[in-house]
Amino acid sequence: MDLGIAGKTALVCGASKGLGYGCAEALVREGVNVVIVARGAEALEAAAAKLLAAAAAGSPAPFVKHVAADITTEAGRAAVFALGHDFDIVVTNAGGPPPGDFRNWDREAWIKAVDANMLTPIELIKATVDGMAKRGFGRIVNITSSSVKSPIDILGLSNGARSGLTGFVAGVARTPIAAQGVTINNLLPGSFDTDRLKGTMAGTAQKTGQDFDTVWEARKKNIPARRFGTPAEFGAICAFLCSMQAGYMTGQNVLADGGAYPGTY
């Protein structure tokens, strides 16, 4: 399917690896110009090189630019927007806050979580949405978490901050921008085969005294699909949400979790 977005320009955050990279790669393969941002310069440069190789298969080949910056800071956002504000597509993504017991989190921990996982996406939306509306096309996809729909007790910081973003998007997606060709949706990942999942599973293994493989396989068995998702699969969903065909979808929370969420709605 031709998604109709070749030649558009996208900003993809947290795109040096994992789900962010999967989204960037899917967009590049559709002929979308991408600007990728992440904190680690070395990993980001490697990701940009891989994306350039993927872009070379397109005709005409889209450009790939990268900015090593912390998008959760004003300075990081300024570095990105120094390249321009005219993004047609914005994929927001920031690493989730650490797990733990809410009794141990102070105000600073909460502010940091809200700043990264709620306020940063809102700042990116604010900086780009009006330009999208004027041009008559815009797609914003926020990578949040399945914990928004099915909270995880040890991820209280993430549950709270990402739920705040979800509530905000539910309102702003239904303002007059919806009639100007701009959609805002949230993409909720469950368990995907990423470094973050491996790190979480390693922590669980250490805490419980089990070996890593035992914890890894047990987690799989709790997923009806009996496997973890791949960044490429996630990226394909993101690319569709950015497509011309998805223009009638806005304000939605799209769950990708292999069937793990047990609810009807």
Side-chain angles (χ1 to χ4, degrees):
M1 180 188 292
D2 180 358
L3 299 185
I5 50 177
K8 302 292 187 185
T9 300
L11 169 64
V12 185
C13 303
S16 62
K17 57 186 178 179
L19 301 183
Y21 177 83
C23 293
E25 184 177 46
L27 290 171
V28 161
R29 292 187 183 280
E30 290 296 324
V32 176
N33 303 307
V34 298
V35 175
I36 59 173
V37 58
R39 288 174 293 180
E42 186 175 345
L44 188 64
E45 289 175 6
K50 289 196 295 181
L51 290 174
L52 281 169
S59 181
F63 68 67
V64 176
K65 298 180 181 179
H66 62 282
V67 180
D70 183 350
I71 198 67
T72 68
T73 67
E74 288 187 19
R77 292 189 290 273
V80 170
F81 290 125
L83 298 178
H85 284 70
D86 294 338
F87 293 106
D88 305 297
I89 295 167
V90 174
V91 180
T92 76
N93 179 34
D101 187 323
F102 77 93
R103 298 171 183 83
N104 300 324
W105 295 325
D106 58 15
R107 177 178 174 79
E108 183 179 352
W110 278 106
I111 294 299
K112 186 175 181 180
V114 170
D115 200 30
N117 297 120
M118 178 182 173
L119 298 182
T120 291
I122 291 173
E123 289 293 335
L124 293 173
I125 293 169
K126 184 169 69 172
T128 57
V129 71
D130 289 333
M132 292 176 177
K134 288 179 182 177
R135 294 189 299 276
F137 177 90
R139 299 286 185 267
I140 297 172
V141 177
N142 303 298
I143 299 177
T144 61
S145 170
S146 62
S147 66
V148 170
K149 196 167 179 69
S150 182
I152 301 170
D153 59 348
I154 62 170
L155 296 181
L157 290 171
S158 179
N159 296 341
R162 296 190 194 278
S163 293
L165 175 64
T166 303
F168 169 79
V169 167
V172 74
R174 293 168 172 84
T175 62
I177 62 170
Q180 294 173 281
V182 180
T183 69
I184 309 178
N185 292 291
N186 304 314
L187 185 46
L188 287 54
S191 296
F192 279 77
D193 190 351
T194 62
D195 288 348
R196 178 172 171 79
L197 180 63
K198 290 183 176 73
T200 301
M201 294 295 96
T204 300
Q206 184 177 24
K207 184 177 180 179
T208 61
Q210 302 177 78
D211 65 85
F212 178 85
D213 289 341
T214 298
V215 174
W216 188 258
E217 292 304 317
R219 181 71 170 266
K220 280 186 187 178
K221 290 178 181 178
N222 288 328
I223 303 171
R226 295 295 187 270
R227 67 178 181 86
F228 299 124
T230 68
E233 288 177 306
F234 189 84
I237 300 170
C238 178
F240 175 75
L241 289 175
C242 296
S243 71
M244 297 297 293
Q245 290 88 338
Y248 206 53
M249 291 178 63
T250 194
Q252 301 304 303
N253 293 288
V254 180
L255 181 63
D257 70 347
Y261 173 67
T264 302
Y265 301 106

